[in-house]
């Protein structure tokens, strides 16, 4: 189970295990209010050369493990949602990639999005890839996820 909270990545990078995490009020699985710390999970983010430690909680009542992820990032993605969207926008409008991020990664995002639009919004979708990105996002999906 993943919960998205505002996380100051720069502070987290500096403070590591001493970062003041905001504890969820209750377990998202069973609503229990007894959540225990359950260590940390490493995660890579753009702009940081070492993995950051994301806090884990465990609910003693139902056994659910909760991972805290920073708002503004998709699960399993290192780049900000806004950065991914900018890349898609630039590619679709002027057929170029954003500077500073590998073309391979940007190509993966773009192709995954097109595949997903086809799968979920079908061939009848004519509003373009950027609108498709926003629409899938509204549906609660990760628009550039490769698993369909
Ligand atoms: Zn629980």
């Amino acid at each position: 189970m993943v919960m998205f909270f505002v996380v100051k990545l720069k502070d987290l990078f500096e403070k590591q295990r001493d970062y003041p995490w905001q504890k969820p009020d209750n377990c998202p699985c069973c609503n229990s209010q007894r959540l225990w710390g359950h260590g940390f999970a490493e995660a890579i983010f753009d702009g940081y050369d070492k993995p950051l430690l994301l806090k884990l909680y465990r609910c003693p009542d139902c056994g659910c493990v909760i991972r805290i992820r920073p708002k503004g990032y998709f699960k399993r993605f290192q780049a900000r949602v806004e950065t991914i969207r900018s890349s898609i926008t630039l590619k679709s409008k002027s057929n170029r990639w954003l500077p500073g991020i590998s073309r391979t990664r940007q190509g993966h995002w773009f192709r995954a999005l097109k595949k997903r639009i086809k799968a979920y919004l079908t061939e009848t979708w004519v509003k373009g890839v950027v609108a498709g990105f926003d629409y899938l996002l509204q549906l609660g999906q990760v628009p550039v996820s490769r698993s369909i």
Side-chain angles (χ1 to χ4, degrees):
M1 180 67 67
V2 173
M3 292 180 86
F4 290 90
F5 284 173
V6 173
V7 178
K8 292 177 184 145
L9 293 188
K10 196 164 166 283
D11 285 0
L12 177 59
F13 181 73
E14 284 160 8
K15 295 184 177 146
Q16 302 189 42
R17 279 162 205 273
D18 297 325
Y19 180 82
W21 287 94
Q22 174 197 353
K23 190 174 172 181
D25 291 333
N26 18 40
C27 170
C29 308
C30 74
N31 276 325
S32 164
Q33 295 186 342
R34 300 194 304 151
L35 286 181
W36 296 348
H38 193 60
F40 298 88
E42 290 190 344
I44 309 270
F45 293 95
D46 282 353
Y48 299 92
D49 53 6
K50 279 189 303 188
L52 303 186
L53 296 171
L54 298 179
K55 181 93 176 147
L56 302 175
Y57 292 96
R58 186 176 175 278
C59 170
D61 293 317
C62 74
C64 184
V65 172
I66 300 130
R67 293 169 172 273
I68 307 296
R69 292 277 312 180
K71 264 190 185 154
Y73 290 82
F74 293 129
K75 264 192 286 183
R76 292 191 287 274
F77 281 82
Q78 307 175 20
R80 296 187 63 87
V81 171
E82 276 312 309
T83 306
I84 296 173
R85 193 178 182 281
S86 302
S87 163
I88 303 286
T89 307
L90 188 63
K91 176 66 179 166
S92 70
K93 292 211 170 119
S94 51
N95 200 27
R96 286 185 296 128
W97 298 116
L98 286 181
I101 303 173
S102 91
R103 286 159 179 241
T104 313
R105 276 173 70 198
Q106 297 187 68
H108 283 316
W109 299 338
F110 197 76
R111 279 193 302 278
L113 174 62
K114 291 221 297 200
K115 207 171 138 196
R116 208 166 181 85
I117 288 175
K118 215 170 170 181
Y120 286 94
L121 309 178
T122 75
E123 302 278 5
T124 61
W125 182 260
V126 291
K127 293 179 188 166
V129 285
V130 179
F133 181 96
D134 294 339
Y135 190 77
L136 289 167
L137 196 60
Q138 263 182 35
L139 296 179
Q141 297 198 15
V142 177
V144 290
S145 167
R146 268 180 282 176
S147 50
I148 289 197

